[in-house]
C-alpha cells in the first residue's frame, strides 16, 4: 500500500467531510506482491540560502541550487518498467533559517485544468509513522484517532492545479473552514494515520481547532507559457493543449509551526527529516485517479537541513581579517626600517 494513496480532488474531499474525520468508503489494494529496494544513497540537502528565491512558480532563481533527479514509478507497483516516460522529477530544497522552500520540476505536455496535474509532499511526524500505509496505524475508521494511532502521524501537502492561475499564490489561509487548512480545491494541508484515516489539519477525533492553519503556500508554472507578467483566470487555457514543456511547482512553509496536535512536521537546522513526493498526471490523455500516481522512492527519503553562514557575515569576516593583516604588515615594515636606521646610526 502506498503512503500517498487516495488523495482525491478537494471537491470530492469536501463531499466526504460529513463528520469531523475523513473516511473513504472503499478500501484499496496494491496491484500485487512487490519488493521495495529503496536507494539508500539518495539524500536531499536543504541549503542555507537567505533571500535566494521568489515564490512565483518560476525556476530561474533555482538554477544554482543543487537537487536530485528521481525516477517516477507507480506508487502501487514501483516496477522500473512502468516508470513515468516523460522524465524524472527534480527535487530542490533550501531554507533561510525561518522558512523552507521546495521546487519540483517534471516534464509533461501542458493539459487543460480539468485533467489536473497534481503533486504532494509527505513527511514523517510521529516516530512510528511508516512510509507504507501512510503512517502505518492498524486501526480502521471508527477506531483510529489521536490516541489509538499516536506516533503514526504523517504530514501531507497536496496541490492540484485545477482552476488555479499560474504564477499566483495559493494556500496560507489563516481563516478557512474545516480546520482552516483548505484552500478552495487547490492547496490543502492535511495529516494522516493510514490511508483510511486522513483529515485536514485541525480536524479529527479532537474536533475542529482554531489553532490549525494551512501553513503552506505554493505556485505553479509551465515552461510553454510565453507570458511572464502574469495571467488571470479568463486566460485559461494558458497555452495550447499538448504543448511540450516542464511543470514547475514551488512551495514554502515556516520551518516551525504553531501546531499543537502533532499534525505538522517541524524542521530543525542541523537535523534530518523524512519525506516523499508524488506526482499525478493524465497519462495518455486520461484524467488521473486517486491511486494512479507516481512517487520518487518506495520508502522515505532523508532531508537534511544544513547550517550556514550568510554572505554578509562571510564578507565582513574577510574584510576584518584583511584589515588586521594589512596593519600588521605596516607595523612590520616600520619596525624593519627602524632596525636598519638604528644599525646605520651605530656604525
Amino acid at each position: 500500500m502506498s503512503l500517498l494513496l487516495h488523495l482525491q480532488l478537494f471537491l470530492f474531499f469536501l463531499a466526504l467531510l460529513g463528520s469531523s474525520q475523513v473516511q473513504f468508503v472503499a478500501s484499496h489494494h496494491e496491484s500485487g506482491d512487490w519488493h521495495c529496494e529503496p536507494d539508500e544513497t539518495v539524500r536531499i540537502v536543504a541549503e542555507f540560502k537567505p533571500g535566494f528565491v521568489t515564490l512565483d512558480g518560476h525556476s530561474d532563481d533555482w538554477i544554482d541550487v543543487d537537487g536530485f533527479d528521481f525516477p517516477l514509478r507507480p506508487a502501487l507497483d514501483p516496477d522500473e518498467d512502468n516508470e513515468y516516460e516523460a522524465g524524472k522529477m527534480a527535487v530542490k530544497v533550501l531554507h533561510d533559517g525561518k522558512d523552507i522552500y521546495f521546487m519540483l520540476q517534471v516534464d509533461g505536455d501542458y493539459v487543460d485544468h480539468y485533467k489536473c496535474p497534481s503533486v504532494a509532499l509527505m513527511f514523517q511526524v510521529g516516530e512510528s509513522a511508516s512510509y507504507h500505509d501512510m503512517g502505518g496505524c492498524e486501526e480502521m475508521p471508527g477506531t483510529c484517532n489521536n490516541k489509538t494511532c499516536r506516533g503514526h502521524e504523517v504530514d501531507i501537502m497536496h496541490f492540484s492545479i485545477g482552476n488555479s492561475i499560474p504564477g499566483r499564490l495559493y494556500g496560507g489561509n489563516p481563516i478557512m473552514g474545516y480546520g482552516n487548512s483548505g484552500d478552495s480545491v487547490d492547496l490543502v494541508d492535511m495529516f494522516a494515520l493510514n490511508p483510511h484515516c486522513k483529515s485536514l489539519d485541525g480536524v479529527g477525533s479532537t474536533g475542529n481547532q482554531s489553532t490549525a492553519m494551512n501553513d503552506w503556500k505554493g505556485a505553479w508554472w509551465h515552461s510553454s507559457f510565453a507570458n511572464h507578467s502574469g495571467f488571470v483566470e479568463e486566460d485559461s487555457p494558458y497555452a495550447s493543449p499538448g504543448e511540450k514543456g516542464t511543470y514547475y511547482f514551488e512551495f514554502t512553509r515556516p520551518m516551525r509551526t504553531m501546531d499543537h496536535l502533532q499534525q505538522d512536521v517541524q524542521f530543525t537546522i542541523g537535523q534530518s527529516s523524512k519525506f516523499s513526493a508524488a506526482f499525478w498526471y493524465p497519462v495518455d490523455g486520461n484524467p488521473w485517479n486517486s491511486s494512479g500516481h507516481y512517487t520518487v522512492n518506495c520508502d522515505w527519503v532523508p532531508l537534511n537541513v544544513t547550517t550556514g553562514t550568510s554572505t554578509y557575515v562571510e564578507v565582513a569576516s574577510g574584510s576584518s581579517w584583511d584589515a588586521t593583516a594589512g596593519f600588521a604588515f605596516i607595523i612590520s615594515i616600520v619596525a624593519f626600517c627602524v632596525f636598519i636606521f638604528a644599525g646605520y646610526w651605530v656604525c
Side-chain angles (χ1 to χ4, degrees):
M1 295 183 182
S2 167
L3 280 177
L4 294 176
L5 214 63
H6 284 308
L7 283 176
Q8 304 279 359
L9 290 172
F10 195 44
L11 287 175
F12 177 64
F13 188 82
L14 289 178
L16 296 177
L17 279 170
S19 63
S20 63
Q21 187 176 57
V22 178
Q23 300 180 359
F24 290 89
V25 177
S27 181
H28 57 279
H29 302 279
E30 291 174 345
S31 57
D33 184 19
W34 51 270
H35 179 63
C36 170
E37 293 184 359
D39 187 349
E40 296 182 356
T41 65
V42 173
R43 188 172 296 272
I44 294 293
V45 176
E47 298 182 66
F48 177 69
K49 291 182 177 291
F52 206 74
V53 300
T54 300
L55 192 68
D56 55 7
H58 296 290
S59 64
D60 309 57
D61 41 5
W62 287 85
I63 292 178
D64 295 327
V65 179
D66 295 330
F68 194 90
D69 293 333
F70 292 93
L72 291 169
R73 298 175 182 173
L76 298 187
D77 187 4
D79 189 328
E80 61 182 14
D81 293 335
N82 297 320
E83 285 184 7
Y84 176 67
E85 295 182 353
K88 298 180 179 180
M89 174 184 280
V91 179
K92 299 181 178 182
V93 189
L94 60 82
H95 75 94
D96 60 8
K98 176 179 178 292
D99 299 317
I100 190 166
Y101 298 81
F102 293 81
M103 168 60 77
L104 310 181
Q105 304 175 197
V106 57
D107 290 341
D109 296 350
Y110 177 71
V111 295
D112 292 336
H113 65 82
Y114 66 89
K115 294 181 180 177
C116 210
S118 307
V119 293
L121 296 176
M122 185 169 50
F123 305 88
Q124 182 190 56
V125 179
E127 294 183 1
S128 301
S130 61
Y131 170 85
H132 292 283
D133 293 340
M134 199 180 292
C137 180
E138 296 181 355
E139 300 292 329
M140 287 290 101
T143 60
C144 59
N145 54 54
N146 62 318
K147 294 182 179 180
T148 60
C149 292
R150 185 172 181 176
H152 290 274
E153 303 86 356
V154 293
D155 186 9
I156 300 171
M157 184 284 306
H158 184 229
F159 182 66
S160 300
I161 286 180
N163 290 320
S164 61
I165 303 170
R168 302 301 174 89
L169 289 183
Y170 291 86
N173 292 332
I175 302 177
M176 286 290 292
Y178 303 104
N180 303 341
S181 302
D183 181 40
S184 183
V185 297
D186 303 301
L187 193 156
V188 292
D189 193 355
M190 308 167 59
F191 77 99
L193 305 169
N194 63 43
H196 307 281
C197 302
K198 299 191 293 294
S199 300
L200 293 175
D201 278 13
V203 180
S205 60
T206 56
N208 291 359
Q209 297 288 324
S210 60
T211 57
M213 296 176 61
N214 183 352
D215 293 290
W216 286 96
K217 297 178 183 178
W220 72 280
W221 195 261
H222 192 268
S223 61
S224 67
F225 300 157
N227 183 359
H228 279 252
S229 63
F231 291 100
V232 294
E233 190 172 0
E234 288 75 15
D235 294 328
S236 180
Y238 307 100
S240 300
E243 196 80 27
K244 293 189 177 299
T246 302
Y247 278 98
Y248 301 98
F249 300 89
E250 191 174 19
F251 304 104
T252 188
R253 201 212 74 175
M255 295 180 64
R256 313 292 289 189
T257 72
M258 296 177 65
D259 169 43
H260 299 168
L261 302 173
Q262 187 84 337
Q263 297 173 354
D264 287 342
V265 60
Q266 305 297 322
F267 299 104
T268 301
I269 296 175
Q271 294 186 11
S272 179
S273 300
K274 295 180 179 180
F275 96 106
S276 184
F279 179 57
W280 286 259
Y281 187 78
V283 177
D284 298 326
N286 300 315
W288 55 262
N289 58 69
S290 59
S291 60
H293 61 284
Y294 302 88
T295 55
V296 296
N297 203 8
C298 63
D299 208 340
W300 292 119
V301 175
L303 169 62
N304 294 339
V305 181
T306 65
T307 59
T309 305
S310 70
T311 303
Y312 174 80
V313 174
E314 289 177 352
V315 171
S317 176
S319 300
S320 175
W321 183 88
D322 291 342
T324 302
F327 182 76
F329 179 75
I330 292 173
I331 293 298
S332 299
I333 294 297
V334 171
F336 180 75
C337 291
V338 171
F339 176 78
I340 295 297
F341 179 79
Y344 176 80
W345 181 260
V346 171
C347 291

